[in-house]
Amino acid sequence: MERAMPQAVPLGQMEVFQALQRLHMIIFSQNVSPCGKFLAAGNNYGQIAIFSLSAALSSEAKEESKKPMVTFQAHDGPVYSMVSTDRHLLSAGDGEVKAWLWAEILKKGCKELWRRQPPYRTSLEVPEINALLLVPKENSLILAGGDCQLHTMDLETGTFTRALWGHTDYIHCLALRERSPEVLSGGEDGAVRLWDLRTAKEVQTIEVYKHEECSRPHNGRWIGCLATDSDWMVCGGGPALTLWHLRSSTPTTVFPMRAPQKHVTFYQDLILSAGQGRCVNQWQLSGELKAQVPGSSPGLLSLSLNQQPAAPECKVLTAAGNSCRVDVFTNLGYRAFSLSF
């Protein structure tokens, strides 16, 4: 006769399961709270963890300070993107975007405030939403992903006001030119498209892979990251990471980085990028590699710069990707420590 399993075994099995989850974890997205003191991180299991940056950066910080103060199940699938308004954390997964009140999250009451699904072509279509972008002047949110469209949602009413068509494959990334106002989108089709939000029309297309100096056929044509600063854009992915002058559609600097890049941002007089490999790369606009700062993850998918004026003591760069760790850089020269999901 078989003996019944002792009660301790399921607990041990749970510990093994949690260890395996951490081993295979991917952190797709990060976002800083409006007050600048907290960081949200979203993983491939649909969970969002909230870390206290102020506690982790304190001179009295302990190991417990580097773990989540709260973790909650936000989506059934991966949390691909997050943004914050003054009051809300918005998260995107497969097919829908959800809203959470920051005030309630910090009280550990993680109840979904609302959820919205863009008008897809069929009711069976559940494409991933890879990118979220706030347009403050319009009080709107732009969503883009697997259905190859950009959807605009009015944040006051929750209604979808327009859809922008043009990409022929799914969209990976978005960036805002606030002065214009215009939105840039990059996708699997190898194109960066520029949209005028006033007319809801595409006004410019740059097919990066068609430029010989940028093309890397062995890596593909996909655009995985982009950022903009006035008349300048930097983008990368399959093609080389490249700085472009938008008005003339001219590539001005091709950065000598072999590995495909998954995230890029302008910072002061530098460009920061990350992708395959452990390092956060710091580039001069001229193309010179100023520094490569190693982190703990074998590949990086997102960078987050906390520049909230309300919390200057929490001014850090965080980097996350193919591990359960979020690396924290208190200056750009070295990794100070890691938060652990």
Side-chain angles (χ1 to χ4, degrees):
M1 185 175 178
E2 290 185 3
R3 295 171 62 185
M5 272 191 177
Q7 192 64 34
V9 172
L11 181 61
Q13 287 176 344
M14 179 59 70
E15 288 172 349
V16 170
F17 175 73
Q18 289 172 342
L20 287 170
Q21 265 203 332
R22 286 194 294 273
L23 186 65
H24 295 286
M25 190 176 291
I26 302 169
I27 298 175
F28 283 106
S29 53
Q30 305 176 66
N31 195 250
V32 176
S33 66
C35 68
K37 295 182 179 180
F38 303 94
L39 177 74
N43 70 14
N44 54 322
Y45 303 121
Q47 300 166 328
I48 294 177
I50 307 295
F51 299 93
S52 172
L53 290 175
S54 53
L57 291 163
S58 165
S59 57
E60 300 174 0
K62 300 175 182 176
E63 277 308 302
E64 200 63 29
S65 310
K66 296 165 188 174
K67 294 179 180 178
M69 53 182 285
V70 60
T71 302
F72 60 97
Q73 192 71 36
H75 296 266
D76 293 333
V79 184
Y80 292 114
S81 184
M82 293 188 289
V83 294
S84 281
T85 67
D86 290 342
R87 298 175 58 229
H88 301 120
L89 174 66
L90 307 178
S91 62
D94 286 328
E96 61 187 5
V97 59
K98 295 184 179 182
W100 318 83
L101 271 173
W102 267 110
E104 294 301 315
I105 292 173
L106 299 179
K107 292 177 187 173
K108 303 185 181 181
C110 306
K111 189 177 179 182
E112 167 192 321
L113 189 64
W114 51 255
R115 66 173 72 188
R116 298 286 186 275
Q117 187 176 82
Y120 297 123
R121 286 166 292 192
T122 70
S123 58
L124 298 176
E125 191 173 22
V126 189
E128 73 277 12
I129 298 172
N130 293 322
L132 297 176
L133 182 69
L134 289 172
V135 185
K137 288 181 180 178
E138 290 190 348
N139 192 29
S140 65
L141 176 72
I142 297 180
L143 305 77
D147 70 341
C148 314
Q149 301 177 66
L150 285 75
H151 298 275
T152 302
M153 189 184 86
D154 185 312
L155 283 171
E156 189 171 337
T157 64
T159 57
F160 287 91
T161 56
R162 63 188 168 215
L164 305 177
W165 294 78
H167 283 281
T168 58
D169 210 332
Y170 58 89
I171 300 166
H172 287 294
C173 46
L174 298 169
L176 178 66
R177 294 179 78 194
E178 288 193 57
R179 293 179 187 175
S180 302
E182 293 171 337
V183 168
L184 292 156
S185 59
E188 193 72 12
D189 58 6
V192 173
R193 301 180 190 275
L194 184 64
W195 310 86
D196 188 327
L197 294 181
R198 293 161 296 192
T199 61
K201 291 183 178 178
E202 183 179 339
V203 293
Q204 188 177 356
T205 304
I206 299 174
E207 294 179 297
V208 179
Y209 66 97
K210 290 186 176 179
H211 292 255
E212 188 177 350
E213 60 269 54
C214 311
S215 178
R216 300 189 300 188
H218 59 287
N219 284 334
R221 62 173 64 177
W222 54 278
I223 300 298
C225 62
L226 62 85
T228 183
D229 185 5
S230 188
D231 288 334
W232 298 92
M233 172 191 75
V234 60
C235 67
L241 188 70
T242 307
L243 181 67
W244 293 75
H245 184 248
L246 284 171
R247 285 191 183 180
S248 60
S249 298
T250 305
T252 60
T253 305
V254 178
F255 299 95
M257 169 59 66
R258 290 187 178 182
Q261 299 297 279
K262 301 291 183 71
H263 195 111
V264 67
T265 187
F266 287 92
Y267 177 65
Q268 297 177 355
D269 59 347
L270 296 173
I271 288 172
L272 308 180
S273 76
Q276 288 184 8
R278 294 182 177 275
C279 293
V280 177
N281 309 297
Q282 302 173 29
W283 302 97
Q284 305 278 13
L285 298 180
S286 61
E288 179 186 346
L289 182 61
K290 182 181 179 183
Q292 284 187 306
V293 186
S296 62
S297 298
L300 295 172
L301 297 173
S302 71
L303 301 175
S304 177
L305 275 165
N306 183 6
Q307 300 186 80
Q308 294 284 6
E313 73 281 6
C314 296
K315 187 177 179 180
V316 293
L317 169 72
T318 53
N322 295 96
S323 82
C324 63
R325 295 182 175 275
V326 180
D327 293 331
V328 179
F329 302 82
T330 49
N331 66 42
L332 295 184
Y334 70 100
R335 175 175 65 94
F337 57 88
S338 295
L339 305 168
S340 183
F341 214 115

